[in-house]
Amino acid sequence: MPKRHARSACTALAAAGLLLAAAVGTAAAEPAAWTAPAAWTAPAARTAPAARTAPALSAAETLRTADAQPELLAAMQRDLGLSPDRARARLAHEAEAGAAAARLQSRLGPAFAGAWVDGSDTAALSVATTRASDAAAIRAAGARPVVVARSLASLDAAKTALDRAATAGTPVRYVDPRTNTLVVEEAEPGAAARLLAATGTDASLVTVVPSAEAPRPLYDLRGGDAYYMNGSGRCSVGFPVTRGTTHGFATAGHCGRAGTTTTGFNRIAQGSFQASVFPGSDMAWVAANTNWTATPYVKGSGGANVQVTGSVLQPVGASVCRSGSTTGWHCGTVQQHNTSVTYPEGTISGVTRTTVCAEPGDSGGSYISGSQAQGVTSGGSGNCSSGGTTFFQPLNPILSAYGLTLKTTGGDPGPGPGPGEPEPGGTWKAGTVYAAGATVTYGGASYRCLQPHQAQAGWEPPNVPALWQRL
């Protein structure tokens, strides 16, 4: 197979997929000093009331969902009970909701207290704020306003304090925007009370939930294909990436350490881990030898290729599917972002909690929503027979930490700049996929991309400071 040159992380690639879905991903690895920014998805100029009924898809929504792969729709039918038409509608409305939530988070600033969709086909969006005066702006964006006592930032700060002292007795902690509380799952009677006392945390902020979970990394593990570490243990490929002219893939940090060698699903020499973090985070990347080429696909149901067109984060309540080398292709929903989990090996933070099942050997594998990469499998509890809870390490922090470029569909962009060479500038254009660090001009000014996204009408750089920084 001919080798391709790949642009660096600042390259703008032409977009091919029509469907955009917001997304967030997370997986087990060592500590990382990176917090995923707010997710952006295709904006929508909808003014629908909060309590809406299921409308017919507009022409724009139909176009946006036209490329939803049959295998993704089939998996959503199996795991979420949705017909193909309902799955397409849900994906389209979730994309709208993700865009509206991100715009409102930027607008509300410190008063923002979280956002969620209701899990219906119409993905009705609720946005919480600590200021009653924000209600009109939230309604104007097509969302239901919820006025609460605590901001998301204040609850996140309280969770950070708990994370420092957590033990296996309180294995999972997260902020639940729907109840405006900090949830602590308690595996041992009294463990939550001891944690609150040790940290001086106000008990009124916390909801304690008894749990039998014992989260652990899923050690026994295209995206989703198997690979083997040092010729023995098995994990799953997360997402193919490039770094300069080197091809490789992102995966979970608990699967291997820097220097660990890998062989592919065919047991042929593949590459080695270049960097790995676990616990703290759960991220790593493997550089492949020249016999292997990164592709913009995840292994879907029946082995079919699912296209990857970007890595936009998806809001709480959205659908997400996972591919792994043990259990294959399964779907569920996003429960919480920025969750902290204490495994026997230590605590990881910034992961996303989901209802997707997984089993040992699925570790490192791909989470995808629509065509947008979300993250890599970290760990969880349960199995794919009885169901379970899993956590993924978001992908964007991995790309940022290691200077990687996600392999996406849209054609070969041709040779890019070499290491250390500046990215060429260009005029901002809707429909283009921009990677973090890309520079553009718009209205006579220069801007730098702050997080990977596909540009859409309404996302002109001056309008979205969460995505573009004026130079």
Side-chain angles (χ1 to χ4, degrees):
M1 181 179 294
K3 303 299 179 290
R4 298 179 178 178
H5 294 284
R7 291 189 185 277
S8 69
C10 298
T11 304
L13 303 178
L18 297 177
L19 173 65
L20 283 182
V24 179
T26 307
E30 295 179 37
W34 195 97
T35 300
W40 280 82
T41 55
R46 63 170 182 163
T47 56
R52 53 181 178 167
T53 57
L57 286 180
S58 67
E61 289 168 334
T62 300
L63 283 174
R64 195 184 309 158
T65 59
D67 275 359
Q69 293 88 37
E71 60 275 5
L72 182 148
L73 299 178
M76 292 180 72
Q77 180 174 10
R78 181 193 66 199
D79 294 338
L80 298 175
L82 301 176
S83 68
D85 286 345
R86 288 182 60 199
R88 289 189 187 96
R90 180 165 176 167
L91 289 169
H93 291 308
E94 287 175 352
E96 289 185 53
R103 289 195 299 269
L104 285 168
Q105 180 172 5
S106 178
R107 178 168 182 172
L108 301 183
F112 179 75
W116 61 95
V117 293
D118 64 357
S120 70
D121 293 356
T122 58
L125 176 66
S126 297
V127 174
T129 177
T130 59
R131 291 188 302 242
S133 58
D134 291 330
I138 294 171
R139 289 193 187 95
R144 179 178 72 97
V146 180
V147 180
V148 297
R150 310 173 189 94
S151 69
L152 182 63
S154 67
L155 289 172
D156 279 341
K159 185 178 76 68
T160 297
L162 297 184
D163 291 347
R164 296 192 186 103
T167 66
T170 52
V172 178
R173 301 156 304 283
Y174 55 85
V175 171
D176 184 356
R178 289 165 287 201
T179 61
N180 194 228
T181 61
L182 173 56
V183 177
V184 176
E185 292 191 2
E186 181 181 67
E188 302 170 2
R194 291 192 294 272
L195 178 60
L196 299 187
T199 57
T201 300
D202 183 352
S204 68
L205 303 179
V206 177
T207 298
V208 178
V209 178
S211 173
E213 289 189 35
R216 71 207 185 282
L218 302 172
Y219 278 112
D220 282 302
L221 274 147
R222 250 178 309 183
D225 274 342
Y227 69 91
Y228 300 85
M229 299 81 71
N230 289 334
S232 55
R234 172 171 54 86
C235 275
S236 302
V237 174
F239 289 93
V241 298
T242 58
R243 183 175 178 180
T245 58
T246 300
H247 290 223
F249 58 88
T251 190
H254 72 260
C255 289
R257 293 287 181 254
T260 298
T261 60
T262 67
T263 56
F265 64 91
N266 51 8
R267 297 288 192 159
I268 293 175
Q270 180 187 67
S272 63
F273 279 70
Q274 302 300 294
S276 174
V277 181
F278 178 77
S281 298
D282 198 358
M283 61 176 69
W285 84 282
V286 172
N289 61 42
T290 56
N291 291 327
W292 295 80
T293 300
T295 68
Y297 302 113
V298 166
K299 184 178 181 180
S301 180
N305 287 337
V306 176
Q307 297 182 55
V308 177
T309 64
S311 57
V312 180
L313 303 180
Q314 190 75 314
V316 169
S319 57
V320 66
C321 297
R322 178 196 56 72
S323 181
S325 61
T326 298
T327 59
W329 185 254
H330 288 272
C331 299
T333 59
V334 173
Q335 297 297 288
Q336 283 85 25
H337 295 313
N338 194 25
T339 298
S340 299
V341 182
T342 300
Y343 296 135
E345 296 81 359
T347 293
I348 62 170
S349 297
V351 295
T352 294
R353 182 172 178 258
T354 79
T355 64
V356 187
C357 70
E359 295 181 10
D362 289 330
S363 280
S366 326
Y367 276 79
I368 189 167
S369 185
S371 62
Q372 299 294 309
Q374 302 299 290
V376 300
T377 303
S378 173
S381 58
N383 54 52
C384 287
S385 296
S386 60
T389 297
T390 55
F391 305 92
F392 70 82
Q393 165 72 47
L395 179 64
N396 285 335
I398 304 177
L399 301 179
S400 177
Y402 301 135
L404 306 173
T405 299
L406 176 65
K407 192 71 172 178
T408 59
T409 57
D412 190 336
E421 295 178 6
E423 276 292 322
T427 302
W428 181 90
K429 182 179 180 182
T432 300
V433 174
Y434 291 100
T439 58
V440 299
T441 58
Y442 183 85
S446 296
Y447 296 85
R448 176 180 292 111
C449 177
L450 298 179
Q451 62 169 300
H453 68 282
Q454 182 179 31
Q456 302 293 316
W459 285 12
E460 290 79 4
N463 300 335
V464 283
L467 290 178
W468 293 99
Q469 177 185 43
R470 184 166 178 167
L471 301 177

